[in-house]
Structure formats: C-alpha cells, structure tokens
Amino acid sequence: MTKDNKRVLLTGNDAVVEGLCCAAGSERRIVYAGYPITPASEVATRASVIIPKHGGAFIQMEDEIASIQAIAGAGLTGAIAVTATSGPGFSLMSEGLGFAAMIESPVVCVNVQRGGPSTGMPTWMGQGDMMQARWGTHGERPVIVLVPNSVEETLLLTYEACGLSQKYLVPVIVMLDEIIGHMEEPISIPELPTVQLDPDREIIGNGHRLHRTGLTHDLETNLPKINPDAEEQLVRHLLDKVKKNAQDIIKYETFMDPTEAEVIVICYGSESRSVKAAVKLARKKNLEVAMIRLITAWPFPKDLLQELDKTERVYLVAEINAGQIKTEVERYIKKGRVQGLNLMGGRIHTPGEILDAIEGAFSY
C-alpha cells in the first residue's frame, strides 16, 4: 500500500486485497479462507502474501464449502472474514452463505463472474450470477450485493462491503466479472478509517460463551426453538436488517439526467463502461438518453424506478446474461416499456452495438 499518494498499477483482483487492508487498518485482523478458481485465483495469490504481513491469516482450504464455513466462523470472532470464488465455486458456497446469514456472521464473499453455466468459460467474463447472488440459497435470507465497474471502485466497494457486513451482520457479496478482475488501471491507495468493531457485540473467544446454530432459534438465547412463531420472528428479523435500511445501503450512478430522458439504459459492472460511451455518442446525435448504473444490485433501487415511471419512457437493460436484472426492472415499471440488450457471455457490448439499440428504442 502506498503512503505517499503515488499511483500504482493494479488489477481488480489485486484491488480486492488492498480494500481489505484499508478496512482492517492496523487494528483489525483479516481472515481469508479460500480455494483458487479461475478467474478469481489472483485474489488468493495476493492475499497469501499481503494479509499475513498485516497480521492476518490466510488459509488455503480444501474446497469452497470449507472456505465459506471457515469465514462464517471467523466472522464470529471479530475478524474481517472474506473469501473469493467464481462460477461453480460460488454455487458450492450457497449453503454456507445461508448459514452465515442465519448465525448473523459478517462475511464478505467476492465473486469474479465468468461465463456459465457449469464449467462454462473459466477465462472469459459473464454476468450470469446476479439472481443467484440474491436468491441462490434455500429459504429467505438477507444479502447485500455490490457491483464495481473499475479497479478503483473494486477497492472502495470491498472496503465498503467490510463495513456493511459488520454493521448489519449479513453476508455482503462483491460481484466483479472477469474483465474487472483482470484489467489493470493506475490508482491511488486511499487512507480510509478502519472499519470498527461494535464494542457492544459479543465476540467468541473474548470472554463470551456463545451458541450459534443454523436451526430456527430464539433471538435472545440463540438456542434452537422449532415452531412457526419462532420462525416468523427470526426470519423477519434477518430480512428487516436490510429491508429497513435499504435507502442507506443503495447506491447508483446516473449519467445525464434520467428524469429528462426518453430512453434510460440500465447497466452494471464492466458493461457500464461501454454504455457510458454509447450514451455520449447518442447525446451527440441529440437523443435524450441517460444511464443508470447499479452499484448496489441488492437491495434493488425500486423507489428510483417507481419515481421515474411516473413518465412514460423506454428502459433498455444492457447485461451479459439472458435478462436477469431486466426481469427485476419489469417488476416496478408499469407505465414505461422495458427492453433487454443481452449477450450470453465472453464479452461486453461495444458502444456501437449499444448505440444501435438506443436508436432502435427511439424508433420503436
């Protein structure tokens, strides 16, 4: 990490580790438990070198199931607990993410998305895990999902993920894709305040004997309590941590004024870089178009869309999947028209392709 504000050349995967170090500062301990998988392996490689130098622990696990369970335990000890994975590895972590949510362990999971399904395209990008990040475990569970579009933002959102997980005691997933994970950009490592541990939080190994279980349990004792009333109270408590604080969690970027636009392009991740270029080109042709880039994918910015839907317009959702976020947009747009611009994986749209879709939306 640089202390003299010099710019350093990092990949997105490198920036994940730097974001963790910013969150830990000199006061907190990082526990990284992971299993290498393309295209996320470089996160583990850098973590294995950097994190021990900062007083943290790097643990090479036998698989992704062990990785997510290890950090679920580490989160209860007051550590900044993190893992990184991709593709099939993310699927294997699904049960553990639900367990972490159930025991209210603050974990951070970085998913560097690749083309799928199954083994798919390990070295090529995709955005096909967006719905899995939200709904990929059995039962109802809270989750916060952040989606960076640059190396610098990867660092900042990893740092933010640590803070959000500690504040709300929920899993936070940072959804890179292969392009963001492997692209190099010069950035400055910022000096950020250490993510503080809540002094009132009971920590295992610090004078407290705590019981945690994946079973339905009493909120005060955390002991199993298997009945419909306990289930109702527990699950609503878990979900409300995100639901009631959604407006404080949700972040997005607008480019040009969406309230004045006839066409709004909704996007996220690396795809947004092409979208912004396409919007600039469209503006030069005097087309009233704007961009909304999701930074927080979940919770979803439904209030923003419902406010925009007071005026009839076209929403073009550009993403590298078959329309996962488009489906969510359609839930809240009743007056306007929602269209998808989709590729299945391996590359993002070119600005020219997006411009053609924008022009097509105007001529519809």
Side-chain angles (χ1 to χ4, degrees):
M1 298 174 69
T2 59
K3 296 182 179 180
D4 51 6
N5 206 34
K6 288 184 178 178
R7 292 170 70 79
V8 293
L9 190 64
L10 296 177
T11 66
N13 286 345
D14 293 336
V16 167
V17 180
E18 297 300 328
L20 296 173
C21 292
C22 287
S26 60
E27 304 169 38
R28 300 290 303 278
R29 189 168 193 239
I30 305 167
V31 174
Y32 182 104
Y35 185 82
I37 184 170
T38 304
S41 296
E42 295 86 356
V43 180
T45 300
R46 190 174 184 88
S48 69
V49 175
I50 300 296
I51 288 176
K53 291 180 179 179
H54 284 262
F58 173 87
I59 312 172
Q60 167 73 62
M61 303 304 296
E62 62 266 35
D63 57 32
E64 291 86 355
I65 297 173
S67 299
I68 191 66
Q69 298 292 357
I71 66 166
L76 297 178
T77 70
I80 291 176
V82 64
T83 190
T85 190
S86 180
F90 191 53
S91 297
L92 289 171
M93 290 186 179
S94 293
E95 182 183 358
L97 285 167
F99 178 67
M102 188 65 145
I103 66 174
E104 300 187 74
S105 178
V107 302
V108 174
C109 177
V110 177
N111 178 13
V112 187
Q113 297 174 88
R114 70 196 212 185
S118 189
T119 307
M121 297 193 296
T123 61
W124 295 76
M125 69 85 62
Q127 292 182 330
D129 303 349
M130 300 305 296
M131 282 295 180
Q132 183 183 11
R134 175 64 185 92
W135 301 109
T137 63
H138 60 281
E140 298 277 3
R141 61 96 170 92
V143 69
I144 298 171
V145 178
L146 307 177
V147 192
N149 81 334
S150 69
V151 173
E152 180 180 31
E153 192 172 62
T154 298
L155 184 155
L156 295 173
L157 290 186
T158 302
Y159 169 85
E160 186 170 335
C162 296
L164 290 169
S165 68
Q166 299 282 323
K167 182 175 182 178
Y168 298 112
L169 301 181
V170 299
V172 180
I173 304 174
V174 184
M175 300 286 279
L176 283 68
D177 59 55
E178 182 276 330
I179 290 177
I180 302 299
H182 285 159
M183 70 186 299
E184 291 184 313
E185 291 181 324
I187 68 169
S188 298
I189 310 296
E191 291 188 9
L192 298 169
T194 300
V195 171
Q196 295 297 318
L197 182 67
D198 184 348
D200 296 326
R201 187 175 149 213
E202 295 180 330
I203 299 300
I204 289 177
N206 190 28
H208 296 284
R209 181 178 180 273
L210 304 180
H211 183 88
R212 292 291 185 269
T213 178
L215 289 168
T216 298
H217 52 270
D218 181 85
L219 282 171
E220 292 187 6
T221 66
N222 289 300
L223 294 173
K225 190 176 184 181
I226 313 298
N227 63 62
D229 289 342
E231 174 79 354
E232 188 75 17
Q233 184 181 22
L234 173 63
V235 176
R236 289 194 181 278
H237 160 73
L238 295 175
L239 295 177
D240 281 349
K241 290 188 292 182
V242 173
K243 183 179 179 180
K244 291 184 175 180
N245 295 287
Q247 294 309 310
D248 294 328
I249 298 169
I250 290 170
K251 296 175 69 174
Y252 54 85
E253 175 197 0
T254 61
F255 180 65
M256 302 299 172
D257 185 357
T259 64
E260 300 295 330
E262 297 178 48
V263 174
I264 297 174
V265 187
I266 298 174
C267 55
Y268 50 92
S270 59
E271 175 81 349
S272 67
R273 299 168 75 100
S274 276
V275 169
K276 182 175 280 190
V279 170
K280 290 178 180 178
L281 294 172
R283 281 283 174 165
K284 290 180 180 179
K285 294 188 172 188
N286 297 316
L287 297 177
E288 292 296 325
V289 61
M291 178 190 82
I292 296 175
R293 175 174 71 91
L294 304 180
I295 299 174
T296 308
W298 311 106
F300 195 75
K302 62 178 183 178
D303 290 348
L304 169 67
L305 295 185
Q306 288 173 333
E307 182 66 26
L308 290 169
D309 196 39
K310 292 178 180 178
T311 301
E312 187 174 348
R313 63 184 100 231
V314 177
Y315 300 83
L316 179 63
V317 186
E319 52 188 335
I320 311 305
N321 54 54
Q324 295 183 17
I325 296 299
K326 173 179 176 284
T327 301
E328 190 70 9
V329 172
E330 288 173 330
R331 292 180 63 194
Y332 305 110
I333 299 302
K334 306 303 179 184
K335 187 176 293 186
R337 188 173 75 251
V338 182
Q339 298 178 191
L341 180 62
N342 310 101
L343 291 169
M344 295 303 102
R347 70 174 181 92
I348 58 176
H349 291 98
T350 66
E353 289 171 332
I354 298 168
L355 178 60
D356 288 344
I358 291 171
E359 292 176 327
F362 275 96
S363 61
Y364 181 80

